[in-house]
Structure formats: C-alpha cells, structure tokens
Coordinates of all heavy atoms in Angstrom, one line a residue:
M1 N 0.8 -1.2 0.0 CA 0.0 0.0 0.0 C 0.9 1.3 0.0 O 0.6 2.2 -0.7 CB -0.9 0.0 1.2 CG -1.7 1.2 1.5 SD -3.0 1.4 0.3 CE -3.8 2.8 0.8
L2 N 1.9 1.2 0.8 CA 2.8 2.4 1.0 C 3.5 2.7 -0.3 O 3.7 3.8 -0.7 CB 3.7 2.2 2.1 CG 4.6 3.4 2.5 CD1 3.7 4.6 2.9 CD2 5.5 3.0 3.6
T3 N 4.0 1.6 -1.0 CA 4.7 1.8 -2.3 C 3.8 2.3 -3.4 O 4.2 3.1 -4.2 CB 5.4 0.5 -2.7 OG1 4.4 -0.5 -2.8 CG2 6.5 0.1 -1.7
L4 N 2.5 1.9 -3.4 CA 1.6 2.4 -4.3 C 1.4 3.9 -4.1 O 1.4 4.7 -5.1 CB 0.2 1.7 -4.2 CG -0.9 2.2 -5.2 CD1 -0.5 2.0 -6.6 CD2 -2.2 1.5 -4.8
V5 N 1.2 4.3 -2.9 CA 1.0 5.8 -2.6 C 2.2 6.5 -3.0 O 2.2 7.6 -3.5 CB 0.6 6.0 -1.1 CG1 0.5 7.4 -0.8 CG2 -0.8 5.3 -0.8
N6 N 3.4 6.0 -2.6 CA 4.7 6.6 -2.9 C 4.8 6.8 -4.5 O 5.2 7.8 -4.9 CB 5.8 5.8 -2.4 CG 7.1 6.5 -2.5 OD1 7.2 7.7 -2.7 ND2 8.2 5.7 -2.4
G7 N 4.4 5.7 -5.2 CA 4.5 5.8 -6.6 C 3.6 6.8 -7.2 O 3.9 7.5 -8.2
I8 N 2.4 7.0 -6.7 CA 1.4 8.0 -7.2 C 2.0 9.4 -7.0 O 1.9 10.2 -7.9 CB 0.1 7.8 -6.5 CG1 -0.6 6.5 -7.0 CG2 -0.8 9.0 -6.8 CD1 -1.8 6.1 -6.3
F9 N 2.5 9.6 -5.8 CA 3.0 11.0 -5.5 C 4.2 11.3 -6.3 O 4.4 12.4 -6.8 CB 3.3 11.2 -4.0 CG 2.1 11.5 -3.2 CD1 1.5 10.6 -2.4 CD2 1.6 12.8 -3.2 CE1 0.4 10.9 -1.6 CE2 0.5 13.1 -2.5 CZ -0.1 12.1 -1.7
Y10 N 5.1 10.3 -6.5 CA 6.3 10.4 -7.4 C 5.8 10.7 -8.8 O 6.4 11.7 -9.5 CB 7.1 9.2 -7.4 CG 8.3 9.3 -8.2 CD1 9.5 10.0 -7.8 CD2 8.4 8.7 -9.5 CE1 10.6 10.1 -8.7 CE2 9.5 8.8 -10.3 CZ 10.6 9.5 -9.9 OH 11.7 9.6 -10.7
L11 N 4.9 10.0 -9.3 CA 4.4 10.3 -10.7 C 3.8 11.7 -10.8 O 4.1 12.4 -11.8 CB 3.3 9.2 -11.1 CG 2.7 9.4 -12.4 CD1 3.7 9.2 -13.5 CD2 1.5 8.4 -12.6
L12 N 3.0 12.1 -9.9 CA 2.4 13.5 -9.9 C 3.5 14.5 -9.9 O 3.4 15.5 -10.7 CB 1.5 13.7 -8.8 CG 0.1 12.9 -8.9 CD1 -0.7 13.1 -7.6 CD2 -0.7 13.3 -10.1
T13 N 4.5 14.4 -9.1 CA 5.6 15.4 -9.1 C 6.4 15.4 -10.4 O 6.8 16.5 -10.8 CB 6.5 15.2 -7.9 OG1 7.1 13.9 -7.9 CG2 5.8 15.4 -6.5
R14 N 6.6 14.2 -10.9 CA 7.3 14.2 -12.2 C 6.5 14.8 -13.4 O 7.0 15.5 -14.3 CB 7.7 12.8 -12.6 CG 8.7 12.1 -11.7 CD 10.1 12.8 -11.6 NE 10.1 14.1 -11.0 CZ 10.5 14.3 -9.7 NH1 10.9 13.3 -8.9 NH2 10.6 15.5 -9.2
L15 N 5.1 14.6 -13.3 CA 4.3 15.2 -14.3 C 4.3 16.7 -14.2 O 4.3 17.4 -15.2 CB 2.8 14.6 -14.2 CG 2.6 13.2 -14.6 CD1 1.2 12.8 -14.3 CD2 2.9 13.1 -16.1
I16 N 4.3 17.2 -13.0 CA 4.4 18.7 -12.8 C 5.8 19.2 -13.4 O 5.8 20.2 -14.0 CB 4.2 19.1 -11.4 CG1 2.8 18.8 -10.9 CG2 4.6 20.5 -11.1 CD1 2.5 19.0 -9.5
D17 N 6.8 18.4 -13.1 CA 8.2 18.8 -13.7 C 8.1 18.8 -15.2 O 8.6 19.8 -15.8 CB 9.2 17.8 -13.3 CG 9.7 18.0 -11.9 OD1 9.6 19.1 -11.4 OD2 10.3 17.0 -11.3
I18 N 7.5 17.8 -15.8 CA 7.4 17.8 -17.3 C 6.6 19.0 -17.8 O 7.0 19.6 -18.8 CB 6.8 16.4 -17.7 CG1 7.8 15.3 -17.4 CG2 6.4 16.4 -19.2 CD1 7.3 13.9 -17.6
Y19 N 5.5 19.2 -17.2 CA 4.6 20.4 -17.6 C 5.4 21.7 -17.5 O 5.2 22.5 -18.3 CB 3.3 20.4 -16.8 CG 2.3 21.3 -17.4 CD1 1.8 21.0 -18.7 CD2 1.8 22.3 -16.7 CE1 0.8 21.9 -19.2 CE2 0.8 23.2 -17.2 CZ 0.3 22.9 -18.5 OH -0.6 23.7 -19.1
M20 N 6.1 21.9 -16.4 CA 6.9 23.1 -16.2 C 7.9 23.2 -17.4 O 8.1 24.3 -17.9 CB 7.6 23.1 -14.9 CG 6.6 23.3 -13.7 SD 7.4 23.1 -12.1 CE 8.3 24.6 -12.0
F21 N 8.6 22.1 -17.7 CA 9.5 22.1 -18.8 C 8.9 22.5 -20.1 O 9.4 23.2 -20.9 CB 10.2 20.7 -18.9 CG 11.3 20.6 -20.0 CD1 12.5 21.2 -19.8 CD2 11.0 19.9 -21.1 CE1 13.4 21.2 -20.8 CE2 12.0 19.8 -22.1 CZ 13.2 20.4 -21.9
I22 N 7.7 21.9 -20.4 CA 7.0 22.2 -21.6 C 6.6 23.7 -21.7 O 6.7 24.4 -22.7 CB 5.7 21.4 -21.7 CG1 6.1 19.9 -22.0 CG2 4.8 21.9 -22.8 CD1 4.9 18.9 -21.9
I23 N 6.2 24.3 -20.5 CA 5.9 25.7 -20.5 C 7.1 26.6 -20.8 O 7.1 27.5 -21.6 CB 5.3 26.1 -19.2 CG1 3.9 25.6 -19.1 CG2 5.2 27.7 -19.0 CD1 3.2 25.8 -17.7
V24 N 8.3 26.2 -20.2 CA 9.5 26.9 -20.5 C 9.9 26.9 -22.0 O 10.2 27.9 -22.6 CB 10.7 26.4 -19.6 CG1 12.0 26.9 -20.1 CG2 10.4 26.7 -18.2
I25 N 9.8 25.7 -22.6 CA 10.1 25.6 -24.0 C 9.1 26.4 -24.8 O 9.5 27.1 -25.8 CB 10.0 24.1 -24.4 CG1 11.1 23.3 -23.7 CG2 10.2 23.9 -25.9 CD1 12.5 23.8 -24.0
Y26 N 7.8 26.4 -24.5 CA 6.8 27.1 -25.2 C 7.1 28.6 -25.1 O 7.0 29.3 -26.1 CB 5.4 26.8 -24.6 CG 4.3 27.6 -25.3 CD1 3.9 27.2 -26.6 CD2 3.6 28.6 -24.6 CE1 2.9 27.9 -27.2 CE2 2.6 29.3 -25.3 CZ 2.2 28.9 -26.6 OH 1.2 29.6 -27.2
V27 N 7.5 29.1 -24.0 CA 7.8 30.5 -23.8 C 9.0 30.9 -24.6 O 9.1 31.9 -25.3 CB 8.0 30.9 -22.3 CG1 8.5 32.3 -22.2 CG2 6.6 30.8 -21.6
L28 N 10.0 30.0 -24.6 CA 11.3 30.3 -25.4 C 11.0 30.3 -26.9 O 11.8 30.9 -27.6 CB 12.4 29.3 -25.0 CG 12.9 29.4 -23.6 CD1 14.0 28.4 -23.3 CD2 13.5 30.8 -23.4
M29 N 10.0 29.6 -27.3 CA 9.7 29.5 -28.7 C 9.3 30.9 -29.3 O 9.4 31.2 -30.5 CB 8.5 28.6 -29.0 CG 8.9 27.1 -28.9 SD 7.6 26.0 -29.1 CE 7.2 26.2 -30.9
S30 N 8.9 31.8 -28.4 CA 8.6 33.2 -28.8 C 9.8 33.9 -29.4 O 9.6 34.9 -30.1 CB 7.9 34.0 -27.7 OG 8.9 34.3 -26.7
W31 N 11.0 33.5 -29.1 CA 12.2 34.1 -29.6 C 12.4 33.8 -31.1 O 13.2 34.5 -31.7 CB 13.4 33.7 -28.8 CG 13.4 34.1 -27.4 CD1 12.5 34.9 -26.8 CD2 14.4 33.8 -26.4 NE1 12.8 35.1 -25.4 CE2 14.0 34.5 -25.2 CE3 15.5 33.1 -26.4 CZ2 14.7 34.4 -24.0 CZ3 16.3 33.0 -25.2 CH2 15.8 33.6 -24.1
F32 N 11.8 32.8 -31.6 CA 12.0 32.3 -32.9 C 10.9 32.6 -33.8 O 9.7 32.3 -33.5 CB 12.3 30.8 -33.0 CG 13.5 30.4 -32.1 CD1 13.3 29.9 -30.9 CD2 14.8 30.6 -32.6 CE1 14.4 29.6 -30.1 CE2 15.9 30.3 -31.8 CZ 15.7 29.7 -30.6
P33 N 11.1 33.3 -35.0 CA 10.0 33.7 -35.9 C 9.2 32.4 -36.4 O 9.9 31.4 -36.7 CB 10.7 34.4 -37.0 CG 12.1 34.6 -36.6 CD 12.4 33.7 -35.5
N34 N 7.9 32.5 -36.4 CA 7.1 31.5 -36.9 C 7.2 30.1 -36.2 O 6.7 29.1 -36.7 CB 7.3 31.3 -38.4 CG 7.0 32.5 -39.2 OD1 6.1 33.3 -38.9 ND2 7.8 32.7 -40.2
A35 N 7.7 30.1 -35.0 CA 7.8 28.9 -34.3 C 6.5 28.4 -33.8 O 6.2 27.2 -33.7 CB 8.8 29.0 -33.1
Y36 N 5.5 29.3 -33.5 CA 4.2 28.9 -33.0 C 3.4 28.3 -34.2 O 2.4 27.7 -33.9 CB 3.5 30.1 -32.4 CG 4.1 30.5 -31.1 CD1 4.2 31.8 -30.8 CD2 4.5 29.5 -30.1 CE1 4.8 32.2 -29.5 CE2 5.0 29.9 -28.9 CZ 5.1 31.3 -28.6 OH 5.7 31.6 -27.4
Q37 N 3.7 28.6 -35.4 CA 3.0 28.1 -36.6 C 3.3 26.7 -36.9 O 2.7 26.0 -37.8 CB 3.1 29.0 -37.8 CG 2.3 30.3 -37.7 CD 2.9 31.3 -36.7 OE1 4.1 31.4 -36.5 NE2 2.1 32.0 -36.0
T38 N 4.4 26.1 -36.4 CA 4.8 24.7 -36.7 C 3.8 23.8 -36.0 O 3.1 24.1 -35.1 CB 6.2 24.5 -36.2 OG1 6.3 24.6 -34.8 CG2 7.2 25.4 -36.9
K39 N 3.9 22.5 -36.3 CA 3.1 21.5 -35.7 C 3.4 21.4 -34.2 O 2.5 21.3 -33.4 CB 3.3 20.1 -36.4 CG 2.8 20.0 -37.8 CD 1.3 19.9 -37.8 CE 0.9 19.7 -39.3 NZ -0.5 19.8 -39.4
L40 N 4.7 21.4 -33.9 CA 5.1 21.4 -32.5 C 4.6 22.6 -31.7 O 4.1 22.5 -30.6 CB 6.6 21.3 -32.4 CG 7.2 21.3 -31.0 CD1 6.7 20.0 -30.2 CD2 8.7 21.4 -31.0
G41 N 4.7 23.8 -32.3 CA 4.2 25.0 -31.7 C 2.7 24.9 -31.5 O 2.2 25.4 -30.4
Q42 N 1.9 24.4 -32.4 CA 0.5 24.3 -32.3 C 0.1 23.3 -31.2 O -0.8 23.5 -30.4 CB -0.2 23.9 -33.6 CG 0.0 25.0 -34.6 CD -0.5 24.5 -36.0 OE1 -0.8 23.4 -36.2 NE2 -0.4 25.4 -37.0
L43 N 0.9 22.2 -31.1 CA 0.6 21.2 -30.1 C 0.9 21.8 -28.7 O 0.1 21.6 -27.7 CB 1.5 19.9 -30.3 CG 1.5 18.9 -29.2 CD1 0.1 18.2 -29.1 CD2 2.5 17.8 -29.5
M44 N 2.0 22.5 -28.6 CA 2.4 23.1 -27.3 C 1.4 24.1 -26.9 O 1.1 24.3 -25.7 CB 3.8 23.6 -27.3 CG 4.8 22.4 -27.4 SD 6.5 23.0 -27.5 CE 6.8 23.3 -25.8
A45 N 0.9 24.9 -27.9 CA -0.1 25.9 -27.6 C -1.4 25.3 -27.0 O -1.9 25.8 -26.0 CB -0.4 26.7 -28.8
R46 N -1.8 24.1 -27.5 CA -3.0 23.5 -27.0 C -2.7 23.0 -25.6 O -3.7 22.9 -24.8 CB -3.4 22.3 -27.9 CG -4.1 22.7 -29.1 CD -4.7 21.5 -29.8 NE -3.7 20.5 -30.1 CZ -3.4 20.1 -31.3 NH1 -4.0 20.5 -32.3 NH2 -2.4 19.2 -31.5
I47 N -1.5 22.6 -25.3 CA -1.2 22.1 -23.9 C -1.0 23.3 -22.9 O -1.5 23.2 -21.8 CB 0.1 21.3 -24.0 CG1 -0.1 20.0 -24.8 CG2 0.6 20.9 -22.6 CD1 1.1 19.2 -25.1
C48 N -0.3 24.3 -23.3 CA 0.1 25.4 -22.4 C -0.9 26.5 -22.3 O -1.1 27.1 -21.2 CB 1.4 25.9 -22.8 SG 2.8 24.7 -22.8
E49 N -1.5 26.9 -23.4 CA -2.4 28.1 -23.4 C -3.5 28.1 -22.4 O -3.8 29.1 -21.8 CB -2.9 28.4 -24.8 CG -1.8 29.1 -25.7 CD -1.4 30.4 -25.2 OE1 -2.2 31.2 -24.6 OE2 -0.2 30.7 -25.3
P50 N -4.2 27.0 -22.2 CA -5.3 27.0 -21.3 C -4.9 27.4 -19.9 O -5.5 28.2 -19.2 CB -5.9 25.6 -21.3 CG -5.6 25.1 -22.6 CD -4.2 25.7 -23.0
Y51 N -3.7 26.9 -19.4 CA -3.2 27.2 -18.1 C -2.6 28.6 -18.1 O -2.9 29.4 -17.1 CB -2.1 26.2 -17.7 CG -1.5 26.4 -16.4 CD1 -2.3 26.3 -15.2 CD2 -0.2 26.8 -16.3 CE1 -1.7 26.6 -14.0 CE2 0.4 27.0 -15.0 CZ -0.4 26.9 -13.9 OH 0.2 27.2 -12.7
L52 N -1.9 29.0 -19.1 CA -1.3 30.3 -19.1 C -2.3 31.5 -19.3 O -2.1 32.6 -18.8 CB -0.2 30.4 -20.3 CG 1.0 29.6 -20.1 CD1 1.9 29.7 -21.3 CD2 1.8 30.0 -18.9
N53 N -3.4 31.2 -19.9 CA -4.4 32.2 -20.1 C -5.1 32.6 -18.8 O -5.5 33.8 -18.6 CB -5.5 31.7 -21.1 CG -5.1 31.8 -22.5 OD1 -4.2 32.6 -22.8 ND2 -5.7 31.1 -23.4
I54 N -5.1 31.7 -17.8 CA -5.6 32.1 -16.5 C -4.8 33.2 -15.9 O -5.4 34.2 -15.4 CB -5.5 30.9 -15.5 CG1 -6.4 29.7 -16.0 CG2 -5.9 31.3 -14.1 CD1 -6.2 28.4 -15.3
F55 N -3.5 33.2 -16.0 CA -2.6 34.2 -15.5 C -2.5 35.4 -16.4 O -2.3 36.5 -15.9 CB -1.2 33.6 -15.2 CG -1.3 32.5 -14.2 CD1 -1.3 31.2 -14.6 CD2 -1.3 32.8 -12.9 CE1 -1.4 30.1 -13.7 CE2 -1.4 31.7 -11.9 CZ -1.4 30.4 -12.4
S56 N -2.7 35.2 -17.7 CA -2.7 36.4 -18.6 C -3.8 37.3 -18.4 O -3.7 38.5 -18.6 CB -2.7 35.9 -20.1 OG -1.5 35.1 -20.3
R57 N -5.0 36.7 -18.0 CA -6.1 37.6 -17.7 C -6.0 38.4 -16.4 O -6.5 39.5 -16.3 CB -7.4 36.8 -17.6 CG -7.9 36.3 -19.0 CD -9.1 35.5 -18.8 NE -8.6 34.1 -18.7 CZ -9.3 33.1 -18.3 NH1 -10.6 33.2 -18.1 NH2 -8.8 31.9 -18.3
I58 N -5.2 37.9 -15.5 CA -5.0 38.5 -14.2 C -3.8 39.5 -14.3 O -3.9 40.6 -13.7 CB -4.8 37.5 -13.1 CG1 -6.0 36.6 -13.0 CG2 -4.5 38.1 -11.8 CD1 -5.8 35.4 -12.1
I59 N -2.8 39.1 -14.9 CA -1.5 39.9 -14.9 C -1.3 40.6 -16.3 O -1.1 39.9 -17.3 CB -0.3 39.0 -14.6 CG1 -0.5 38.3 -13.3 CG2 1.0 39.9 -14.6 CD1 0.4 37.2 -13.0
P60 N -1.5 41.9 -16.4 CA -1.3 42.6 -17.6 C 0.2 42.7 -18.0 O 1.1 42.6 -17.2 CB -1.9 44.0 -17.4 CG -1.7 44.2 -15.9 CD -1.8 42.8 -15.3
P61 N 0.5 42.7 -19.3 CA 1.9 42.9 -19.7 C 2.4 44.2 -19.3 O 1.7 45.2 -19.2 CB 1.8 42.8 -21.3 CG 0.5 42.3 -21.6 CD -0.4 42.5 -20.5
I62 N 3.7 44.2 -18.9 CA 4.4 45.5 -18.5 C 5.4 45.8 -19.5 O 6.3 45.0 -19.8 CB 5.0 45.3 -17.1 CG1 3.9 45.0 -16.1 CG2 5.7 46.5 -16.7 CD1 4.4 44.6 -14.7
A63 N 5.3 46.9 -20.2 CA 6.2 47.3 -21.2 C 6.4 46.3 -22.3 O 7.4 46.0 -22.9 CB 7.6 47.7 -20.7
G64 N 5.2 45.6 -22.7 CA 5.2 44.7 -23.7 C 5.7 43.3 -23.3 O 5.7 42.4 -24.1
L65 N 6.1 43.1 -22.1 CA 6.5 41.8 -21.6 C 5.5 41.2 -20.7 O 5.0 41.8 -19.8 CB 7.8 41.9 -20.8 CG 9.1 42.4 -21.6 CD1 10.2 42.6 -20.6 CD2 9.4 41.3 -22.6
S66 N 5.2 39.9 -20.9 CA 4.2 39.2 -20.1 C 4.9 38.5 -19.0 O 5.8 37.7 -19.3 CB 3.4 38.3 -21.0 OG 2.5 37.5 -20.1
F67 N 4.5 38.7 -17.8 CA 5.1 38.0 -16.7 C 4.2 36.8 -16.2 O 4.5 36.2 -15.2 CB 5.4 38.9 -15.5 CG 6.5 39.9 -15.8 CD1 6.2 41.2 -16.3 CD2 7.8 39.5 -15.6 CE1 7.3 42.1 -16.5 CE2 8.8 40.4 -15.9 CZ 8.6 41.7 -16.4
A68 N 3.1 36.6 -17.0 CA 2.2 35.5 -16.6 C 2.9 34.2 -16.6 O 2.6 33.4 -15.7 CB 1.0 35.6 -17.6
P69 N 3.7 33.8 -17.6 CA 4.4 32.5 -17.5 C 5.2 32.3 -16.3 O 5.3 31.2 -15.7 CB 5.2 32.5 -18.8 CG 4.6 33.4 -19.7 CD 4.0 34.5 -18.9
L70 N 5.9 33.4 -15.9 CA 6.7 33.3 -14.6 C 5.9 33.0 -13.4 O 6.2 32.1 -12.6 CB 7.5 34.6 -14.4 CG 8.4 34.7 -13.2 CD1 9.5 33.6 -13.3 CD2 9.0 36.1 -13.1
V71 N 4.7 33.7 -13.3 CA 3.8 33.5 -12.2 C 3.2 32.1 -12.3 O 3.1 31.4 -11.3 CB 2.7 34.6 -12.2 CG1 1.7 34.3 -11.1 CG2 3.4 35.9 -11.9
A72 N 2.9 31.6 -13.5 CA 2.3 30.3 -13.7 C 3.3 29.2 -13.2 O 2.9 28.3 -12.6 CB 2.0 30.1 -15.2
L73 N 4.6 29.4 -13.6 CA 5.6 28.5 -13.1 C 5.8 28.5 -11.6 O 6.0 27.4 -11.0 CB 7.0 28.8 -13.8 CG 7.0 28.4 -15.3 CD1 8.3 28.9 -15.9 CD2 6.9 26.9 -15.5
L74 N 5.7 29.7 -11.0 CA 5.8 29.8 -9.6 C 4.7 29.0 -8.9 O 4.9 28.3 -7.9 CB 5.9 31.2 -9.1 CG 7.2 32.0 -9.4 CD1 7.0 33.5 -9.1 CD2 8.3 31.4 -8.6
V75 N 3.5 29.2 -9.4 CA 2.3 28.5 -8.9 C 2.5 27.0 -9.0 O 2.2 26.2 -8.1 CB 1.0 29.0 -9.5 CG1 -0.2 28.1 -9.2 CG2 0.7 30.4 -9.1
L76 N 2.9 26.5 -10.1 CA 3.2 25.1 -10.3 C 4.2 24.6 -9.3 O 4.1 23.5 -8.8 CB 3.6 24.8 -11.7 CG 2.5 24.6 -12.8 CD1 3.1 24.4 -14.2 CD2 1.6 23.5 -12.4
G77 N 5.3 25.4 -9.1 CA 6.3 25.0 -8.2 C 5.8 24.9 -6.8 O 6.1 24.0 -6.0
M78 N 4.9 25.9 -6.4 CA 4.3 25.8 -5.1 C 3.4 24.6 -4.9 O 3.3 24.0 -3.9 CB 3.6 27.1 -4.8 CG 4.5 28.3 -4.5 SD 3.7 29.8 -4.0 CE 2.4 30.1 -5.1
A79 N 2.6 24.3 -6.0 CA 1.7 23.1 -6.0 C 2.6 21.9 -5.8 O 2.2 21.0 -5.0 CB 0.9 23.1 -7.2
Q80 N 3.7 21.8 -6.5 CA 4.6 20.6 -6.4 C 5.1 20.5 -4.9 O 5.2 19.4 -4.4 CB 5.7 20.7 -7.4 CG 6.5 19.5 -7.5 CD 7.6 19.6 -8.5 OE1 8.1 20.7 -8.8 NE2 7.9 18.5 -9.2
Y81 N 5.5 21.6 -4.4 CA 6.0 21.7 -3.0 C 4.9 21.2 -2.0 O 5.2 20.4 -1.1 CB 6.5 23.1 -2.6 CG 7.1 23.1 -1.3 CD1 8.4 22.6 -0.9 CD2 6.4 23.7 -0.2 CE1 8.9 22.7 0.3 CE2 6.9 23.8 1.1 CZ 8.1 23.3 1.3 OH 8.6 23.4 2.6
G82 N 3.7 21.7 -2.2 CA 2.6 21.3 -1.4 C 2.3 19.8 -1.5 O 2.0 19.2 -0.5
L83 N 2.4 19.3 -2.7 CA 2.1 17.9 -3.0 C 3.2 17.1 -2.2 O 2.9 16.0 -1.6 CB 2.2 17.6 -4.5 CG 1.8 16.2 -4.9 CD1 0.3 15.9 -4.6 CD2 2.1 16.1 -6.4
M84 N 4.4 17.5 -2.3 CA 5.5 16.8 -1.5 C 5.3 16.8 0.0 O 5.5 15.9 0.7 CB 6.9 17.3 -1.9 CG 7.3 16.9 -3.3 SD 9.0 17.4 -3.8 CE 8.9 19.1 -3.7
F85 N 4.8 18.0 0.5 CA 4.5 18.1 1.9 C 3.4 17.2 2.3 O 3.4 16.5 3.3 CB 4.1 19.6 2.2 CG 3.8 19.8 3.6 CD1 4.8 19.8 4.6 CD2 2.4 20.0 4.0 CE1 4.4 20.0 5.9 CE2 2.1 20.1 5.4 CZ 3.1 20.2 6.3
V86 N 2.3 17.1 1.5 CA 1.2 16.2 1.8 C 1.7 14.8 1.8 O 1.3 14.0 2.6 CB 0.0 16.4 0.8 CG1 -1.0 15.3 0.9 CG2 -0.6 17.8 1.0
A87 N 2.5 14.4 0.8 CA 3.0 13.0 0.7 C 3.9 12.7 2.0 O 3.7 11.6 2.6 CB 3.9 12.9 -0.5
Q88 N 4.7 13.7 2.4 CA 5.5 13.4 3.6 C 4.6 13.3 4.8 O 4.9 12.4 5.7 CB 6.5 14.6 3.8 CG 7.4 14.4 4.9 CD 8.4 15.6 5.1 OE1 8.0 16.7 4.6 NE2 9.5 15.4 5.7
M89 N 3.6 14.1 5.0 CA 2.7 14.0 6.1 C 1.9 12.6 6.1 O 1.7 12.0 7.1 CB 1.7 15.1 6.1 CG 2.3 16.5 6.4 SD 3.2 16.6 7.9 CE 1.9 16.5 9.1
L90 N 1.5 12.2 4.9 CA 0.8 11.0 4.7 C 1.7 9.8 5.1 O 1.2 8.9 5.7 CB 0.2 10.9 3.3 CG -0.7 9.7 3.0 CD1 -2.0 9.8 3.8 CD2 -1.0 9.6 1.5
F91 N 2.9 9.8 4.6 CA 3.8 8.7 4.9 C 4.1 8.6 6.4 O 4.2 7.5 6.9 CB 5.1 8.9 4.1 CG 4.9 8.7 2.6 CD1 5.7 9.4 1.7 CD2 4.0 7.9 2.1 CE1 5.6 9.3 0.4 CE2 3.8 7.7 0.7 CZ 4.6 8.5 -0.1
S92 N 4.3 9.7 7.0 CA 4.6 9.7 8.5 C 3.3 9.2 9.2 O 3.5 8.6 10.3 CB 5.0 11.1 9.0 OG 3.9 12.0 8.9
W93 N 2.2 9.5 8.7 CA 0.9 9.0 9.3 C 0.8 7.5 9.1 O 0.3 6.8 10.0 CB -0.2 9.8 8.8 CG -1.6 9.4 9.4 CD1 -2.0 9.6 10.7 CD2 -2.6 8.7 8.8 NE1 -3.2 9.1 10.9 CE2 -3.7 8.6 9.7 CE3 -2.8 8.2 7.5 CZ2 -4.9 7.9 9.4 CZ3 -4.0 7.6 7.2 CH2 -5.0 7.5 8.1
L94 N 1.1 7.0 7.9 CA 1.0 5.6 7.6 C 2.0 4.7 8.3 O 1.7 3.5 8.5 CB 1.0 5.3 6.1 CG -0.2 5.8 5.3 CD1 0.0 5.7 3.8 CD2 -1.5 5.1 5.7
I95 N 3.1 5.2 8.6 CA 4.2 4.4 9.2 C 4.1 4.3 10.6 O 3.7 5.1 11.4 CB 5.6 4.9 8.8 CG1 5.8 4.8 7.3 CG2 6.7 4.2 9.5 CD1 7.1 5.3 6.7

C-alpha cells in the first residue's frame, strides 16, 4: 500500500516537472519567428495556453513583456512543493 501511494506521489511530481519544462520551451519559442505556426508549436499551444491564459487575464503585460508565464511556473512549483508536503505527512501517518 505504501509503495503504491509513494509511486502515485512520485508520478504526480514528475508530471508537474514535465509540464513546467513544456511551458519553458513554449515561452522560449517566442524568440524564434514562426515557431508557433509549426506542428510542435500548435501542439504546445494546445497544452500550455489554457493554463497560461488564467494568469494572462489577471496579470497585464508590462512594457510589452508578459510575466504571466513566470507566475504560472511559480504557482506550479508551489503546488509541487505542497504535494510533496502532503506526501510526507501521509507517509509519516501511515508508518
């Protein structure tokens, strides 16, 4: 039972890591002309835009720069930290 729970929490934290990496790559694609029009760019837009749009509506661009992806990554990092805290508390309770 404990190894199953450990595996689930490990998988969730790795999925958050992968999603954060995808967001970073998606944001860096803005440096390259027409990168968003490629198949990879369109796929990444479908994956990243729904989450990034939440923060884009709240945080306006400053001097033409959007800080929404930075805040989105910070929120994901805090969620990952919270998930690890819950896992640690759960494991100490189960043992």
Side-chain angles (χ1 to χ4, degrees):
M1 172 73 177
L2 188 61
T3 57
L4 176 65
V5 174
N6 187 21
I8 291 171
F9 278 107
Y10 179 79
L11 178 66
L12 289 174
T13 56
R14 294 298 73 96
L15 288 174
I16 292 173
D17 280 337
I18 292 168
Y19 193 62
M20 290 171 73
F21 181 73
I22 290 172
I23 289 174
V24 168
I25 297 300
Y26 180 71
V27 170
L28 291 178
M29 286 177 70
S30 68
W31 293 357
F32 301 100
N34 299 324
Y36 290 138
Q37 284 72 36
T38 64
K39 294 283 185 188
L40 178 63
Q42 292 170 0
L43 174 66
M44 292 180 79
R46 282 192 304 242
I47 294 170
C48 297
E49 282 299 321
Y51 179 66
L52 292 176
N53 282 340
I54 296 169
F55 299 96
S56 295
R57 284 180 272 170
I58 298 169
I59 304 165
I62 301 171
L65 294 175
S66 175
F67 291 97
L70 178 63
V71 175
L73 288 172
L74 287 172
V75 168
L76 277 175
M78 289 188 309
Q80 188 176 37
Y81 181 76
L83 187 65
M84 289 187 293
F85 179 76
V86 167
Q88 185 180 23
M89 295 300 290
L90 186 64
F91 293 146
S92 67
W93 182 68
L94 288 175
I95 293 178

